[in-house]
Amino acid sequence: MSLKDKCFVLTVLYLILSCFLLQPKSVVATSTKAEATFRIDSYIPERFVDFQLRLNGALNLRGTQYDHKTYDSTGEYLSPPSSNSQDIQEIRGAIRTSYRYETIPKYWLLSLEATSNFNNHNSRGSYQSVRSLGFEEGISPSAEAGWYLTGDYFISGSIRGTWNYNSSESKGHDMAHSQNYAIEATLLPGWGRIYEGQTAATSLYIVDELRRKGILTREPSYQEMQELTALVYHYRNTHAIDARLHKIEALSKILDYLKRCEAMGDAGPYGYLLIQDIWDYFPTVSRRFGYRFRMGSGLIYECQSGQRESNGITAYYSYEHSTRQTTRPYLMAAAELAHPLGLRWQADLSTEWKYFVNPEESYRTFSIRYTPRGELITTTEFYSYNADQTFRFSGLCRYVIDSRSNAKITLLYSLNHYNSRIQYEQFHSGEVEFSQRSFDYFNSAFTAALELEYRISIPTTLMVQLHYSDTNNETGDCLRWESHYRSYQLRAEISHYLF
């Protein structure tokens, strides 16, 4: 089965799952029939606002094993298979701000992140070992907005940008610098809705905590849970000058309501302390529900430039400067499915397919090499015209352990195909070489990550992640080569919310 057929089948299966296994509730036509059990998706907030400003610091330990082989169409090896292993230690810092505003008729998401990191890179191969120290910094702004035209039909647009600067120096005085600019814009009509279920989850956590501590005298009815959730929603959207007085009032009103409906007795200060822990910690975990499907078009533009100097490791000096530009318009289809699996389990699924329409890439490099025999100057240019497809599927399952900790596992699979035609020119020592060739390139990758989160205090969270990825690359023309990557990563991160 070809890549296109695989992408089509997987996308159709995902859409069937989205449309028939889970239907989002529409505010326009909400059922008034009482349900036997109050769930996270039983309450639809009409407005959700969230602003965050946080500092992140992380330590990454990564290891990679790389195997490569080249052979012709008959399967005969043209060069001995080679292998390479790498280990990287990285210290990373970031500051991130985000604003999320969602109502029934419209929504928008804004974010800005600035990052910097230092890394120590050790590479060991069949022929040599190299150690390098590197520095990287970057800025990533993004904006997304959507408007519902009628019912669950909407139109959305987004724009994202990145800027990155990299610098590294290896033993032997090899130095490299590069800059990368990229911008991506999309216009995606679609249908469906995804709501935030944090409000109903907070009410369910409060009742569950009181039940487990033996304070709850009876189970609240469906209507009483709706009223309790409305009370939580009201105080979550109330801003007081003194946050402590605001919280005291909110938690007192919740306890008074449960006493009035005789769901609990007088627990005194102990009951207040129980629900205070939930009020402060549990709502930080997103409990979304619903589905959304979008399809439309987009454009990616990227410009990269860099230079490399080598002096001492090979007994001669060399300098190389390169520039690369890509323009990639595409058609796109994407689907999202979010579903709370009970009080403590959450599942989020998403898939995305892109078909790039006549993308273009240009590359130019200029190099000078000084040897005992003299100066060698080489200029290389090539232009690539591609017909690419990419498919991506991801799934997340989260388990809320208690009021301070939760665990999640994330699975990601991607399948990419590149069908390229390259025009290649090289000017070397007064000679000109011109060639043109086409090739197929396949890439598949599987990634799994297990992450544990623990709230050290209200504004500070510790995250530990174990990450594994497996990547395969292969060409499909007469000169064939294959490569296989296996990567491992252990990451520890501290996130401190300033707001």
Side-chain angles (χ1 to χ4, degrees):
M1 182 182 291
S2 67
L3 171 70
K4 186 175 182 180
D5 295 333
K6 291 180 181 178
C7 294
F8 178 77
V9 171
L10 290 172
T11 303
V12 170
L13 291 175
Y14 185 88
L15 293 178
I16 292 174
L17 178 67
S18 300
C19 296
F20 293 99
L21 295 186
L22 181 62
Q23 293 289 335
K25 296 183 178 182
S26 173
V27 175
V28 178
T30 302
S31 174
T32 57
K33 182 180 179 180
E35 300 182 27
T37 305
F38 182 84
R39 303 188 304 268
I40 291 175
D41 59 355
S42 299
Y43 186 88
I44 296 177
E46 296 184 1
R47 179 174 175 267
F48 182 85
V49 179
D50 186 33
F51 173 75
Q52 295 181 358
L53 176 63
R54 67 177 188 260
L55 292 173
N56 287 6
L59 173 64
N60 291 343
L61 302 175
R62 286 186 286 168
T64 301
Q65 178 68 39
Y66 169 67
D67 299 308
H68 180 85
K69 55 187 177 181
T70 303
Y71 52 94
D72 59 20
S73 57
T74 65
E76 182 178 352
Y77 287 110
L78 300 179
S79 62
S82 63
S83 63
N84 181 280
S85 63
Q86 302 176 359
D87 64 85
I88 301 173
Q89 301 83 42
E90 180 182 63
I91 298 176
R92 181 178 183 272
I95 181 169
R96 176 181 172 85
T97 180
S98 61
Y99 179 72
R100 179 177 164 196
Y101 178 88
E102 298 182 18
T103 62
I104 301 305
K106 61 185 177 182
Y107 70 88
W108 63 76
L109 311 171
L110 307 174
S111 69
L112 176 64
E113 183 176 33
T115 62
S116 64
N117 66 65
F118 298 89
N119 61 75
N120 177 43
H121 188 160
N122 295 283
S123 177
R124 294 168 296 276
S126 303
Y127 305 103
Q128 65 176 353
S129 298
V130 179
R131 178 189 178 189
S132 64
L133 299 175
F135 169 75
E136 179 181 353
E137 59 183 355
I139 299 176
S140 302
S142 68
E144 179 182 344
W147 296 267
Y148 281 85
L149 306 177
T150 176
D152 290 338
Y153 292 89
F154 68 94
I155 185 170
S156 66
S158 67
I159 184 168
R160 298 176 177 87
T162 59
W163 171 82
N164 288 288
Y165 172 78
N166 293 275
S167 175
S168 65
E169 181 175 358
S170 61
K171 184 179 180 180
H173 305 288
D174 288 0
M175 299 182 64
H177 307 272
S178 66
Q179 292 190 78
N180 182 73
Y181 307 86
I183 188 169
E184 180 177 4
T186 62
L187 182 63
L188 300 171
W191 74 86
R193 292 178 182 268
I194 293 182
Y195 303 100
E196 182 55 66
Q198 288 185 11
T199 306
T202 301
S203 299
L204 288 168
Y205 289 135
I206 290 174
V207 172
D208 182 67
E209 190 72 12
L210 296 175
R211 180 192 303 113
R212 291 194 300 112
K213 298 301 182 180
I215 298 177
L216 200 68
T217 58
R218 68 170 180 84
E219 294 293 328
S221 66
Y222 182 87
Q223 183 60 36
E224 289 170 342
M225 287 300 300
Q226 283 279 1
E227 294 175 3
L228 174 62
T229 305
L231 192 63
V232 173
Y233 176 76
H234 168 73
Y235 280 102
R236 280 297 182 197
N237 289 277
T238 299
H239 299 280
I241 297 176
D242 192 319
R244 291 173 299 175
L245 294 178
H246 164 60
K247 183 166 66 176
I248 292 172
E249 179 185 354
L251 300 185
S252 298
K253 292 291 185 180
I254 292 173
L255 288 174
D256 290 343
Y257 174 78
L258 292 173
K259 292 176 185 177
R260 286 200 310 272
C261 65
E262 298 180 348
M264 64 171 289
D266 186 7
Y270 180 62
Y272 179 92
L273 293 176
L274 286 177
I275 65 173
Q276 177 186 354
D277 205 44
I278 295 171
W279 186 266
D280 291 337
Y281 294 101
F282 266 122
T284 61
V285 178
S286 179
R287 303 304 305 272
R288 304 189 311 159
F289 59 92
Y291 79 89
R292 187 167 60 182
F293 174 76
R294 296 181 289 177
M295 60 186 306
S297 60
L299 175 68
I300 299 175
Y301 173 78
E302 186 174 8
C303 179
Q304 183 178 17
S305 64
Q307 61 185 28
R308 180 183 297 274
E309 298 180 57
S310 178
N311 184 19
I313 194 170
T314 54
Y316 61 79
Y317 171 80
S318 66
Y319 169 83
E320 179 181 283
H321 182 271
S322 62
T323 58
R324 183 190 300 268
Q325 292 189 30
T326 59
T327 304
R328 309 178 71 193
Y330 60 83
L331 302 176
M332 173 181 172
E336 301 170 75
L337 176 67
H339 187 46
L341 304 173
L343 178 61
R344 299 187 181 274
W345 290 93
Q346 174 76 26
D348 295 319
L349 303 176
S350 66
T351 186
E352 178 183 284
W353 174 76
K354 288 181 179 179
Y355 179 79
F356 294 89
V357 184
N358 297 324
E360 297 183 2
E361 178 181 6
S362 64
Y363 175 82
R364 185 178 189 274
T365 179
F366 171 79
S367 65
I368 303 176
R369 185 167 56 177
Y370 298 97
T371 70
R373 292 181 297 175
E375 179 183 89
L376 298 177
I377 299 177
T378 303
T379 301
T380 303
E381 295 184 7
F382 75 74
Y383 300 89
S384 176
Y385 305 90
N386 309 304
D388 305 348
Q389 294 185 69
T390 65
F391 176 80
R392 174 188 175 101
F393 179 84
S394 65
L396 180 149
C397 185
R398 183 191 297 271
Y399 177 66
V400 180
I401 301 172
D402 53 37
S403 62
R404 288 179 179 258
S405 55
N406 67 91
K408 66 178 180 181
I409 183 170
T410 304
L411 303 177
L412 173 64
Y413 177 75
S414 63
L415 188 63
N416 308 306
H417 172 250
Y418 306 91
N419 185 3
S420 300
R421 179 168 56 87
I422 296 177
Q423 295 179 0
Y424 177 90
E425 292 186 29
Q426 186 177 66
F427 303 88
H428 178 71
S429 300
E431 298 180 358
V432 180
E433 178 185 346
F434 175 82
S435 64
Q436 180 172 313
R437 60 174 297 207
S438 301
F439 70 94
D440 287 336
Y441 169 62
F442 299 91
N443 167 270
S444 63
F446 171 78
T447 300
L450 174 63
E451 182 174 304
L452 300 176
E453 296 184 4
Y454 177 73
R455 294 291 298 273
I456 299 174
S457 63
I458 294 177
T460 306
T461 302
L462 170 65
M463 292 167 283
V464 179
Q465 183 187 80
L466 181 62
H467 180 280
Y468 170 78
S469 64
D470 190 287
T471 304
N472 288 282
N473 302 311
E474 180 182 354
T475 60
D477 55 359
C478 58
L479 179 62
R480 303 188 63 183
W481 58 266
E482 295 179 1
S483 62
H484 185 204
Y485 291 87
R486 290 178 299 276
S487 177
Y488 311 87
Q489 176 174 294
L490 178 62
R491 177 188 181 95
E493 181 174 355
I494 293 287
S495 180
H496 182 76
Y497 288 83
L498 300 176
F499 188 88

